[in-house]
Amino acid sequence: MAVTLCIAAVQFGVPETPERAGGILDGRGFLLLAFGLLLLTSGLSFLRINGPGTWWVWGILLAGAAAFVPFVRWELGRTDPLVDFRMLRDPAMWPVQLTAGLFGISVLGAQAPMSTFARTDRQAHGYGLGLDAGDVSIIIGSYVLSVLIGALLFPVVSRYVTPRLTLSGAATLVGFGYLLFLPFHDTLAQTLTNMIVAGLGSGALVAALPSAAAAAAPPSRTGMATGLTNTTKTIGGSFASAVFGIALASAAADALAGGAQRAETAAPLSGYLVVWAVCSVTGFIAAGLLLLVPRLAFADPPLTAADPGMSVPPEGRGANG
């Protein structure tokens, strides 16, 4: 129902762009990109299922990486590419896109391990919350609500500091939220607190990364820039799902090989600590990357007298981005 209402909101509430940028669909670039992503995501899925000891899995991953060589060469030779790699070299753009990839590790890759951790019986395995499906939904619902609040707070905070600092602070919250998991994961209250902290930062990033990419892009490349934030986020989540699956499975296998008496092959706590540590480190790295963006990269450009129907205050429009 909510998504259906968005159709009406866009149709009747968003004005149409009066002028088109022109250009044609880069069909060959689309096929090359799709082929490379298909190989990479398939290889990551096989890596998670078959394990890192399977040689042909690495062959698929190498083939996927190699498929991007002709794709990049083709795109660099076009005046209207599917992905403008020259735009991606801009100091206001590449940190945003890299942040989206790192952010995908936690927002897409860490949710399944969080659910299995919450369902794990503490009495049987020495860790976990032992929750049923209904209680796990409390954690998920609290996280989703905090994401919503974080998204709503981003424009409010951006009025007092630059959007760049707000984005960096949001990434810091993600890193700090998962860092809290390392010492505090024994109770539902601790887990909720950690997820809410991470969720506030995640909400701001979900809401603001596409618009930050659009603000840093040339007017004819805004759609490309916003779409790439979702693509890189998905790729980051795919890598994280594979790596986290291997980490948990390997930790479980090591525990069983060491003689641990377990009724099931549940991963020990060390596997989950690896997941939380990776999410925390990538969050802090993203926060540092965003500080490399020029200070007013996402600020609104100052109005001029040539802008029709707009009055120009002496101080300009500010930096709400």
Side-chain angles (χ1 to χ4, degrees):
M1 292 176 62
V3 174
T4 303
L5 290 175
C6 290
I7 299 175
V10 173
Q11 177 65 31
F12 301 109
V14 180
E16 182 58 271
T17 303
E19 297 181 1
R20 304 285 179 167
I24 59 175
L25 177 64
D26 182 10
R28 181 178 294 184
F30 175 81
L31 291 176
L32 290 172
L33 176 62
F35 181 67
L37 290 177
L38 179 63
L39 287 175
L40 279 180
T41 54
S42 298
L44 290 171
S45 297
F46 291 134
L47 185 65
R48 184 175 64 251
I49 296 171
N50 298 278
T54 307
W55 67 269
W56 54 266
V57 170
W58 296 103
I60 295 177
L61 289 173
L62 288 175
F68 281 89
V69 175
F71 170 68
V72 173
R73 294 183 63 182
W74 170 259
E75 296 298 288
L76 289 176
R78 290 185 60 83
T79 57
D80 190 25
L82 180 68
V83 178
D84 190 345
F85 287 96
R86 294 180 178 87
M87 177 192 70
L88 292 178
R89 293 200 295 260
D90 191 285
M93 179 62 68
W94 69 262
V96 174
Q97 299 295 344
L98 186 53
T99 293
L102 294 173
F103 175 51
I105 292 175
S106 61
V107 76
L108 299 179
Q111 304 313 309
M114 187 68 252
S115 297
T116 59
F117 175 84
R119 294 294 298 273
T120 303
D121 187 358
R122 173 176 291 274
Q123 293 183 349
H125 301 289
Y127 74 92
L129 302 178
L131 304 178
D132 57 23
D135 292 333
V136 172
S137 67
I138 297 176
I139 298 177
I140 298 174
S142 300
Y143 177 74
V144 171
L145 182 61
S146 64
V147 168
L148 173 61
I149 295 174
L152 295 175
L153 286 177
F154 175 81
V156 177
V157 178
S158 295
R159 293 193 183 103
Y160 301 97
V161 296
T162 62
R164 178 191 67 134
L165 290 179
T166 306
L167 282 170
S168 181
T172 301
L173 279 178
V174 174
F176 185 66
Y178 283 100
L179 181 64
L180 289 174
F181 270 110
L182 299 181
F184 305 114
H185 51 258
D186 296 327
T187 65
L188 177 59
Q190 292 176 349
T191 302
L192 283 175
T193 300
N194 302 343
M195 292 302 292
I196 289 173
V197 172
L200 289 172
S202 298
L205 292 175
V206 166
L209 280 177
S211 60
S220 62
R221 296 286 190 260
T222 55
M224 178 190 300
T226 55
L228 282 174
T229 59
N230 286 324
T231 301
T232 54
K233 181 171 63 178
T234 303
I235 294 174
S238 299
F239 273 96
S241 296
V243 172
F244 292 165
I246 292 171
L248 294 175
S250 300
D254 292 342
L256 290 173
Q261 301 297 320
R262 294 173 181 248
E264 307 112 21
T265 57
L269 180 60
S270 60
Y272 290 97
L273 293 177
V274 170
V275 172
W276 296 327
V278 170
C279 291
S280 177
V281 169
T282 53
F284 288 126
I285 291 176
L289 287 172
L290 290 168
L291 292 178
L292 300 177
V293 175
R295 182 175 178 271
L296 297 179
F298 311 133
D300 292 338
L303 293 178
T304 64
D307 293 327
M310 303 293 287
S311 60
V312 186
E315 67 275 12
R317 291 176 63 187
N320 291 334

